[in-house]
């Protein structure tokens, strides 16, 4: 097989890249190790920044998002039983976010690609990326028990931290930066209407809690727990009782309860691989960087990566210049490190550390009070949450 761009991974990054390349008249082949049903039910992110929303619309993939997604003009911070709303449009010149699950983004992009795009191969496991320092890199893959080779001009690895793309960068030619947090998130899906019309981020002495949603009838909620927690060790009653404690306010707000349909524990980690390119291999999304979910940045960073690559390759096709391709890593990393900074700030702002001293706990409250009382501090949060410029 032969194509211009070989894309490993049919998550939102790989699928969106294929769509952007198709719209630019550039052919690609997408290899995905899982089947279509798995990709379309894989629960991940649910917050789309303003820039991501704009990109999906411009790519022709925003119709169902605009019809079924939940626009959000702010978030609520809770601490010391206080409630403070951060008004995004008022602080950012009109920017906001959209609640629309990654599963739905993938469904939309898969349907579009199968209707209008190039090859999208499910159950095609990438085995290795070879020849990245030549002008003819190739991907060895296996589908249906048969091994094959995809020859490319460029390879883009959108296959996550454990994928073959990142491991194809020779040891010693890159640097990694990482931090592992001593806690995780116990997350649940519940068949109950959200208890608030916007996301609620709660800092409590017992730990962080987040109220989110997937639809008007499905709630997504999280509790800070020790990193080694087994989700099944928490009963439904224990989860709801703990959520009620951490969301407690001085007014008459009530948390809606309902049947819990899913439980899982998400680890908290920060990671960056530099550079994000080796020869004709380009890393995107979790293959290059991971953020703790507190800042809602993971999916949005991946979108920024593939938009940057698609623009650079279109520029190369139109002008013959490699200038933007050569700048890919540096361009992406400027945005990545700002997102890492914001995600770290939000995590350390809202999560009491297991060994935190009373002094450190009071500092968290002081930081939250500063956001609630200073327009400048509040604006910094709103600008970062709604998204850094792409490119």
């Amino acid at each position: 097989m032969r194509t211009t761009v070989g894309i490993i991974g049919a998550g939102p990054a790989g699928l969106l890249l294929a769509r952007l390349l198709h719209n630019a008249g550039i052919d690609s082949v997408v290899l995905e190790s899982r089947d279509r049903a798995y990709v379309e039910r894989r629960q991940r992110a649910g917050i789309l920044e303003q820039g991501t929303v704009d990109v999906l619309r411009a790519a022709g993939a925003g119709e169902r998002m605009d019809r079924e997604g939940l626009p959000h003009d702010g978030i609520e911070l809770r601490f010391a039983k206080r409630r403070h709303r951060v008004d995004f449009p008022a602080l950012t010149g009109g920017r906001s976010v959209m609640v629309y699950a990654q599963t739905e983004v993938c469904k939309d992009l898969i349907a579009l690609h199968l209707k209008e795009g190039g090859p999208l191969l499910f159950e095609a496991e990438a085995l290795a990326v070879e020849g990245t320092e030549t002008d003819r890199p190739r991907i060895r893959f296996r589908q249906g028990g048969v091994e094959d080779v995809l020859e490319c001009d460029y390879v883009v690895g959108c296959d996550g931290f454990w994928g073959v793309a990142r491991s194809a960068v020779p040891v010693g030619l890159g640097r990694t930066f990482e931090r592992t947090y001593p806690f995780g998130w116990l997350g649940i899906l519940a068949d109950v209407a959200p208890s608030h019309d916007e996301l609620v981020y709660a800092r409590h002495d017992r730990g962080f809690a987040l109220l989110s949603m997937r639809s008007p009838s499905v709630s997504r909620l999280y509790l800070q727990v020790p990193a080694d927690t087994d989700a099944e060790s928490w009963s439904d009653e224990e989860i709801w009782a703990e959520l009620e404690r951490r969301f407690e306010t001085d007014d008459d707000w009530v948390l809606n309860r309902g049947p819990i349909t899913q439980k899982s524990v998400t680890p908290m980690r920060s990671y960056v691989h530099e550079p994000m390119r080796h020869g004709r291999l380009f890393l995107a999304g979790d293959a290059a960087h991971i953020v703790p979910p507190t800042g809602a940045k993971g999916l949005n960073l991946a979108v920024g990566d593939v938009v940057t690559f698609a623009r650079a390759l279109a520029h190369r096709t139109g002008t013959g210049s490699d200038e933007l391709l050569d700048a890919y890593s540096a361009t992406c990393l400027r945005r990545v490190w700002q997102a890492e900074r914001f995600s770290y700030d939000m995590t350390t702002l809202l999560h009491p550390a297991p060994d935190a001293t009373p002094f450190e706990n009071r500092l968290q409250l002081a930081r939250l009070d500063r956001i609630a009382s200073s327009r400048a501090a509040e604006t910094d949060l709103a600008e970062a949450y709604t998204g850094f410029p792409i490119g």
Side-chain angles (χ1 to χ4, degrees), residues 159-342:
D159 53 342
F161 181 81
W162 300 107
V164 299
R166 188 180 65 88
S167 63
V169 179
V171 175
L173 294 186
R175 296 184 64 193
T176 60
F177 306 84
E178 58 187 315
R179 178 187 179 92
T180 300
Y181 299 85
F183 43 76
W185 280 7
L186 170 61
I188 65 167
L189 278 175
D191 287 337
V192 61
S195 306
H196 194 61
D197 56 2
E198 294 176 335
L199 273 69
V200 178
Y201 288 76
R203 187 271 174 205
H204 192 279
D205 287 343
R206 295 176 63 91
F208 168 77
L210 172 62
L211 185 157
S212 183
M213 63 283 294
R214 286 293 178 265
S215 75
S217 60
V218 177
S219 293
R220 182 74 160 154
L221 301 109
Y222 299 92
L223 287 169
Q224 176 186 346
V225 293
D228 59 353
T229 296
D230 175 4
E232 296 304 320
S233 68
W234 283 69
S235 71
D236 292 6
E237 173 58 32
E238 287 172 330
I239 291 171
W240 287 118
E242 190 62 24
L243 285 165
E244 287 175 344
R245 290 187 193 100
R246 299 190 191 183
F247 285 124
E248 185 180 14
T249 64
D250 279 330
D251 58 19
D252 58 357
W253 183 87
V254 175
L255 177 68
N256 298 332
R257 291 190 178 201
I260 294 175
T261 60
Q262 185 183 108
K263 300 177 189 176
S264 61
V265 173
T266 301
M268 305 287 280
R269 187 180 178 209
S270 300
Y271 173 87
V272 180
H273 184 285
E274 295 186 0
M276 291 173 56
R277 175 190 181 181
H278 176 66
R280 292 288 185 103
L281 168 64
F282 296 77
L283 303 179
D286 286 0
H289 43 72
I290 295 170
V291 290
T294 326
K297 289 284 167 274
L299 168 60
N300 297 290
L301 275 184
V303 167
D305 295 343
V306 299
V307 168
T308 300
F309 176 82
R311 287 176 180 170
L313 188 55
H315 180 76
R316 169 70 174 79
T317 302
T319 68
S321 170
D322 284 327
E323 178 185 7
L324 297 186
L325 284 171
D326 290 342
Y328 169 80
S329 182
T331 300
C332 290
L333 284 169
R334 283 194 295 271
R335 190 168 187 265
V336 166
W337 277 110
Q338 285 302 316
E340 292 282 357
R341 185 271 306 171
F342 175 68

Side-chain angles (χ1 to χ4, degrees), residues 338-384:
Q338 285 302 316
E340 292 282 357
R341 185 271 306 171
F342 175 68
S343 299
Y344 173 83
D345 286 350
M346 286 286 282
T347 301
T348 57
L349 172 71
L350 295 163
H351 295 74
D355 59 351
T357 65
F359 178 82
E360 291 167 325
N361 287 331
R362 289 300 295 268
L363 282 181
Q364 284 185 319
L365 294 174
R367 291 167 64 192
L368 285 160
D369 187 64
R370 173 66 176 170
I371 293 168
S373 59
S374 164
R375 185 177 180 87
E378 193 178 25
T379 298
D380 183 62
L381 188 156
E383 288 180 344

